[in-house]
Amino acid sequence: MPGVDIFGRAAVVRPVGEIDIDTAPSLSRALAHALTFVATSRADRVVADCSRVTFCDSSGLNALIAARLRAIESGATIHLANPAPQLQRLLQITGAAALFPREDPAWPGAATALQQAPRHAGEHPNDR
């Protein structure tokens, strides 16, 4: 299961490899964990850093959309960062691209957030 790291006000999930019928449940669990952290902290969004996703099928897309619906119910958002061309194409042809705000390295503060040492979800800042 991808871990959840905390950068500033974002809970970041970093799936790796193929997201398909076998691996989508793991992504769903990681996104749910990230949403739980957002609900109990000052984080305001989940960012799925998809830069290392090599393939995503409809199972992976369904995991993202289901997590988005849970996020909306709790007042949070799910952003996508660095989706690979195959994932971008899947989002475009299904019309799902508009559902996920983009959070690429060009977003304000990304360089600072990515240089900070991440906290793992559940770790209190004073525990460092």
Side-chain angles (χ1 to χ4, degrees), residues 115-128:
Q115 290 172 358
Q116 296 172 353
R119 289 186 293 127
H120 293 286
E123 177 183 307
H124 190 275
N126 295 334
D127 292 343
R128 288 180 156 191

Side-chain angles (χ1 to χ4, degrees), residues 11-12 77-78 115 118 121:
V12 181
T77 57
I78 296 191
Q115 290 172 358

Side-chain angles (χ1 to χ4, degrees), residues 50 53 82-92:
C50 298
V53 172
N82 308 308
Q86 186 272 331
L87 178 54
Q88 288 181 47
R89 176 94 171 113
L90 177 64
L91 293 166
Q92 289 170 348

Side-chain angles (χ1 to χ4, degrees), residues 4-98:
V4 178
D5 294 319
I6 308 306
F7 289 102
R9 296 187 55 158
V12 181
V13 175
R14 292 191 173 96
V16 176
E18 296 184 0
I19 305 174
D20 56 23
I21 195 163
D22 293 326
T23 58
S26 177
L27 175 60
S28 291
R29 287 188 298 275
L31 291 168
H33 182 66
L35 283 168
T36 299
F37 182 79
V38 167
T40 60
S41 73
R42 284 186 263 153
D44 60 2
R45 68 196 177 284
V46 172
V47 177
D49 178 355
C50 298
S51 60
R52 295 174 34 196
V53 172
T54 57
F55 174 79
C56 183
D57 69 6
S58 61
S59 301
L61 180 59
N62 285 335
L64 289 168
I65 291 171
R68 178 186 178 270
L69 292 173
R70 286 191 305 276
I72 289 170
E73 290 171 358
S74 65
T77 57
I78 296 191
H79 297 223
L80 298 183
N82 308 308
Q86 186 272 331
L87 178 54
Q88 288 181 47
R89 176 94 171 113
L90 177 64
L91 293 166
Q92 289 170 348
I93 63 174
T94 60

